[in-house]
């Protein structure tokens, strides 16, 4: 014979059991939601990286087309040979050329996955700055605080 207190106790136990099961199911659903969010975030990061690379490639193509125009190419050759002999206007244009290229190198070093080591990028920086005029212009821009420190840190290992 069961008494009222026994039934009451069983009811409390059943409610407690149901509450614990609900807690476990809730915890599992939160865990699954977090896993789903992590997967989606990773996909978004991958998509953003792909879009960034595509945009950078397009900007680099535009930059290259501009600097391959005959007058601009002549300025590059002249500036590489002797930065000091450039006129004030030529220096401004050549400095812009150097600054933009340094920007591209620093971003490539920080975001690119073209190689497992930065040596590929350092070789490109060395090839770019191997000309006396280009290096003097770069040093001038650094001394004028035109090249941000973070870019300098990316480029420095290549020029040491």
């Amino acid at each position: 014979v069961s008494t009222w207190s026994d039934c009451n106790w069983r009811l409390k136990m059943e409610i407690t059991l149901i509450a614990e099961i609900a807690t476990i199911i809730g915890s599992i659903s939160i865990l699954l939601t977090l896993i789903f969010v992590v997967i989606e975030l990773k996909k978004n990061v991958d998509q953003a990286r792909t879009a960034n690379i595509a945009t950078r490639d397009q900007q680099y193509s535009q930059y290259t087309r501009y600097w391959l125009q005959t007058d601009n190419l002549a300025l590059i050759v002249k500036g590489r040979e002797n930065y000091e002999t450039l006129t004030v206007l030529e220096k401004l244009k050549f400095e812009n050329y150097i600054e933009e290229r340094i920007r591209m190198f620093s971003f490539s070093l920080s975001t690119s996955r073209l190689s497992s080591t930065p040596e590929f990028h350092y070789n490109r920086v060395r090839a770019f700055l191997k000309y006396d005029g280009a290096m003097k212009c770069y040093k001038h821009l650094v001394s004028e605080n035109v090249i941000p420190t973070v870019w300098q840190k990316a480029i420095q290992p290549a020029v040491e």
Side-chain angles (χ1 to χ4, degrees):
V1 172
S2 62
T3 64
W4 175 252
S5 63
D6 287 341
C7 289
N8 208 9
W9 181 78
R10 262 191 235 151
L11 182 62
K12 284 182 183 179
M13 289 304 289
E14 287 177 12
I15 291 173
T16 304
L17 180 62
I18 291 170
E20 288 176 3
I21 291 171
T23 302
I24 292 170
I25 291 172
S27 298
I28 291 171
S29 68
I30 290 172
L31 181 64
L32 292 174
T33 301
L34 287 174
I35 291 170
F36 175 75
V37 168
V38 167
I39 290 168
E40 288 301 312
L41 284 174
K42 183 174 178 352
K43 286 180 185 177
N44 287 344
V45 167
D46 291 343
Q47 289 171 349
R49 182 175 289 127
T50 300
N52 181 14
I53 290 170
T55 300
R56 187 177 56 222
D57 288 348
Q58 184 180 23
Q59 289 173 337
Y60 183 76
S61 294
Q62 290 172 345
Y63 172 86
T64 302
R65 277 194 302 276
Y66 175 80
W67 284 105
L68 286 177
Q69 294 173 6
T70 304
D71 292 344
N72 297 331
L73 200 53
L75 173 65
I76 292 172
V77 171
K78 184 177 178 183
R80 283 177 168 181
E81 289 173 1
N82 194 339
Y83 172 69
E84 286 89 10
T85 62
L86 297 176
T87 67
V88 172
L89 291 175
E90 288 173 331
K91 279 185 179 180
L92 288 173
K93 197 169 184 180
F94 189 69
E95 288 168 0
N96 178 267
Y97 166 72
I98 297 293
E99 180 185 353
E100 285 299 315
R101 193 67 190 268
I102 294 299
R103 176 191 316 240
M104 288 179 198
F105 284 137
S106 68
F107 286 125
S108 290
L109 278 160
S110 64
T111 62
S112 184
R113 302 288 180 251
L114 294 177
S115 64
S116 60
T117 67
E119 198 57 38
F120 168 81
H121 300 287
Y122 293 152
N123 288 338
R124 293 180 66 221
V125 172
R126 284 184 205 104
F128 178 73
L129 292 174
K130 72 180 178 184
Y131 302 95
D132 186 56
M135 182 56 88
K136 284 183 180 174
C137 181
Y138 171 72
K139 287 181 178 180
H140 169 73
L141 293 173
V142 168
S143 72
E144 295 291 317
N145 293 319
V146 175
I147 305 293
T149 305
V150 68
W151 298 359
Q152 293 176 44
K153 287 180 180 177
I155 299 301
Q156 196 58 37
V159 296
E160 290 178 338

